[in-house]
Amino acid sequence: DSDVPYLVVLGLLNMSVLLMSNFEAWRARNIQTVLSESQYIAYSVAVGLLAVMVGTPLLVMSNKSPLTLYLTIVILDFVVSTAVATLVFVPKMIFAKDFVDM
């Protein structure tokens, strides 16, 4: 039982969702709202796309050693999670601080 077809379908689905969300964020870039966050969501999605582009070859190269594979997965997960949380929540905190200071 090979897991390659499952991984290929899952990878294609992940890439298509990333590209589609990047396109939708690009379409919403000119919408003016009080907490306009489409720019930061686009940056977050771009970080995810870059992590996939850089992480896939790293995961393939580190496939032989379980420790290296685990470390690569943990580092990629940390980088993507931290970048997304930072890009989404820090601008809101800055806006809230400026709003309170008014």
Side-chain angles (χ1 to χ4, degrees), residues 14 31-32 38 48 55 71 82 84 89 91-92:
N14 190 15
I31 296 174
Q32 296 298 324
S38 63
L71 185 63
T82 305
V84 168
F89 292 116
K92 290 180 182 182

Side-chain angles (χ1 to χ4, degrees), residues 9-29:
V9 170
L10 192 60
L12 288 174
L13 181 66
N14 190 15
M15 288 297 292
S16 62
V17 168
L18 275 170
L19 291 172
M20 192 169 53
S21 60
N22 226 353
F23 175 70
E24 290 299 325
W26 176 76
R27 281 184 44 199
R29 71 190 183 281

Side-chain angles (χ1 to χ4, degrees), residues 32-99:
Q32 296 298 324
T33 62
V34 174
L35 294 174
S36 179
E37 59 188 29
S38 63
Q39 176 184 6
Y40 302 109
I41 292 174
Y43 291 154
S44 299
V45 171
V47 166
L49 190 61
L50 286 172
V52 168
M53 291 170 52
V54 171
T56 302
L58 288 174
L59 289 172
V60 170
M61 288 187 311
S62 66
N63 199 18
K64 301 283 189 249
S65 169
L67 183 62
T68 310
L69 180 64
Y70 177 73
L71 185 63
T72 306
I73 291 171
V74 168
I75 290 173
L76 282 171
D77 188 33
F78 174 76
V79 167
V80 171
S81 300
T82 305
V84 168
T86 302
L87 287 169
V88 170
F89 292 116
V90 168
K92 290 180 182 182
M93 290 188 292
I94 291 171
F95 177 77
K97 181 186 174 292
D98 291 342
F99 185 73

